[in-house]
Amino acid sequence: MTTFALPFPPTLAYPQPPPLRRLRGALAACAAGIRRAPRMELRIDVQHPQEAIEAELDALHRRLHGADDALQRCTVLPFPFPDLLFRHREADGEHYVYVEDAARGRLAGYTVFNRLIEVDRLTDRHMRSPHSRYASAYQGRGIATAVYEWGLDTGFCLLSGARQSTGAHALWQALGRRHPLGYVAIRDKRLHYLGTEVASPLREDLNTRLILRGKGWSLERMHALGLLHADAAAANQALRRRA
């Protein structure tokens, strides 16, 4: 399949708050989730102007519908959104999911499952770092969540970026209520498992990331295959005891 490179670096997704009529239920569900799960936070300091996102999506849609119509060469994925088309392609081990609103002639958004230059070859075979952008009219509908679920069901484990937006952080927390979520530290191109809670100094370290385990991946299997290493866990426990 012909490679079709993006003209810009992908960034994290920005789901918006739900409509007011659903706000009370969403807040209640969020509070319940906080009571059930340990606190999972990273550096939340990313902001992108929505106008810039909309402009990028318009430009990308025109390019994808150019003379060779790259979107038509993509595989259409079955997703429970009847008004949208989810088109998938793979290039050099990276997976691109473009979400198109064909009736309105626009790109609703996209998610790219990037390979990781920070890890070794063995880890790179099974890990991807998802980055997304969605137009404001399509945020809050669970579209990005469904695409990330597709990646996890495909068998990939997902690794967060060094920084997150508020929306991306909320998305990872929501996924963490349905999929195993933990912390890892990247050291010497290897992932060192830290557990489901980390001490504040480690949480602020740019090498500390969130990891979502995909379908079929247990901690035991990942340790056995050399995808996770445990030698950083003791340091994390010592820091937590001192905190």
Side-chain angles (χ1 to χ4, degrees), residues 18-135:
L20 289 177
R21 61 187 175 83
R22 294 163 48 201
L23 186 56
R24 181 177 298 175
L27 288 174
C30 181
I34 292 173
R35 289 193 296 270
R36 289 194 302 269
R39 185 174 179 176
M40 308 287 285
E41 291 185 355
L42 283 180
R43 298 149 299 280
I44 306 172
D45 55 8
V46 177
Q47 291 290 342
H48 291 285
Q50 189 61 43
E51 295 81 2
I53 295 176
E54 306 276 349
E56 282 187 356
L57 292 176
D58 289 343
L60 180 58
H61 188 249
R62 289 193 298 272
R63 184 171 179 179
L64 290 172
H65 269 304
D68 59 353
D69 207 341
L71 282 180
Q72 296 302 320
R73 299 198 306 272
C74 294
T75 301
V76 176
L77 299 174
F79 275 81
F81 295 87
D83 58 328
L84 301 173
L85 287 174
F86 290 73
R87 302 180 186 271
H88 166 256
R89 73 178 180 87
E90 180 183 354
D92 299 324
E94 297 190 321
H95 294 261
Y96 299 76
V97 178
Y98 304 108
V99 184
E100 185 183 23
D101 187 337
R104 293 177 173 82
R106 65 178 303 191
L107 197 65
Y110 70 88
T111 295
V112 183
F113 294 90
N114 288 122
R115 296 176 63 180
L116 294 150
I117 61 172
E118 304 102 316
V119 299
D120 58 25
R121 287 187 178 183
L122 173 63
T123 309
D124 177 61
R125 289 168 54 188
H126 306 288
M127 301 282 172
R128 291 296 179 269
S129 181
H131 301 287
S132 304
R133 284 195 174 180
Y134 287 88

Side-chain angles (χ1 to χ4, degrees), residues 126 155 214-228:
H126 306 288
K215 184 177 180 180
W217 287 104
S218 64
L219 287 176
E220 292 76 15
R221 183 187 177 199
M222 297 184 78
H223 282 296
L225 292 178
L227 300 179
L228 288 181

